[in-house]
Amino acid sequence: MTYQDAGTGMVRDPRHGKTFDSCLASLHLHASRLLHDDSLKPEDRFAGLLLLLYAQWPAAISRLTVDHIEETNGAVRIRLGAVPVELPAPVAELALQQVAIRRSHAVPGRTDARRLFSGGQPGRPISAWAMGERLHKLGIRLAEARSTALFQLATELPAAVLARTLGIDITVKWQRAAAETGAPTPPTSAKG
């Protein structure tokens, strides 16, 4: 949990002393890398973006199936909660690529190809631990990234909307804390 430093007014995370601004800058750097670095595995890029942009834990990411991705009328949506979220173009491309890869591995009578992220053993989904390790190898600090993403989202959307769209349990105190700190909006990027 974060707190506001009485002396400086900066929002800090007591686990590592970073300010919200520095955590947000780190989140944006990681997200930009995952959006644009084609040398990384597409499935790792997509999984990392789900954490960085939509505050999804590795356990939730590992449970996703191809049925969670919908494409209608040129829009790509992901169902993380009760209400699907429309994905921006670069993330949508990664999502559709992952769906295509998983569907190409479909074998009649086996259900593992329905999972967006397969495990190391045939027929087994990836574990939450293994998904977390993959994201950690990309340099993403899981708890810090999720807290920062969730905190930023809470400054932009009502708590009830977050809960319905992201399938997460969010309390009003997150939103109040975000509003009280005047957490900044993300910087815009020329790369889109």
Side-chain angles (χ1 to χ4, degrees):
M1 186 66 176
T2 59
Y3 70 93
Q4 190 165 8
D5 185 302
T8 65
M10 300 290 288
V11 179
R12 295 191 179 278
D13 185 328
R15 292 170 293 189
H16 45 75
K18 286 186 168 184
T19 66
F20 174 74
D21 289 342
S22 66
C23 291
L24 190 60
S26 177
L27 183 136
H28 287 135
L29 285 173
H30 284 298
S32 180
R33 178 175 170 233
L34 294 176
L35 285 168
H36 304 290
D37 189 346
D38 293 334
S39 69
L40 300 173
K41 292 180 182 178
E43 62 267 23
D44 290 344
R45 294 171 61 198
F46 181 52
L49 288 166
L50 289 174
L51 171 65
L52 297 172
L53 302 179
Y54 301 102
Q56 296 297 298
W57 279 118
I61 296 168
S62 68
R63 289 190 301 265
L64 293 173
T65 68
V66 295
D67 299 325
H68 285 92
I69 308 290
E70 339 172 322
E71 182 181 21
T72 53
N73 301 326
V76 178
R77 292 175 187 79
I78 186 166
R79 190 176 29 82
L80 301 168
V83 179
V85 177
E86 187 168 336
L87 298 173
V91 181
E93 291 171 27
L94 289 169
L96 292 177
Q97 185 177 4
Q98 188 62 17
V99 168
I101 289 168
R102 296 308 303 148
R103 286 193 173 141
S104 72
H105 289 108
V107 175
R110 289 204 12 220
T111 60
D112 63 312
R114 309 251 3 117
R115 298 272 182 184
L116 275 177
F117 304 97
S118 64
Q121 298 175 348
R124 305 287 305 213
I126 191 168
S127 69
W129 180 85
M131 177 59 73
E133 282 299 302
R134 285 170 69 166
L135 297 175
H136 186 71
K137 286 179 183 175
L138 294 173
I140 299 172
R141 295 176 65 156
L142 304 179
E144 175 187 313
R146 183 174 187 273
S147 294
T148 303
L150 192 54
F151 200 75
Q152 179 62 33
L153 289 166
T155 67
E156 299 169 2
L157 299 168
V161 173
L162 281 178
R164 282 193 317 271
T165 56
L166 301 182
I168 57 175
D169 181 26
I170 183 167
T171 61
V172 176
K173 72 179 178 180
W174 264 93
Q175 197 163 25
R176 279 194 203 129
E180 289 170 5
T181 63
T185 57
T188 57
S189 169
K191 290 187 175 182

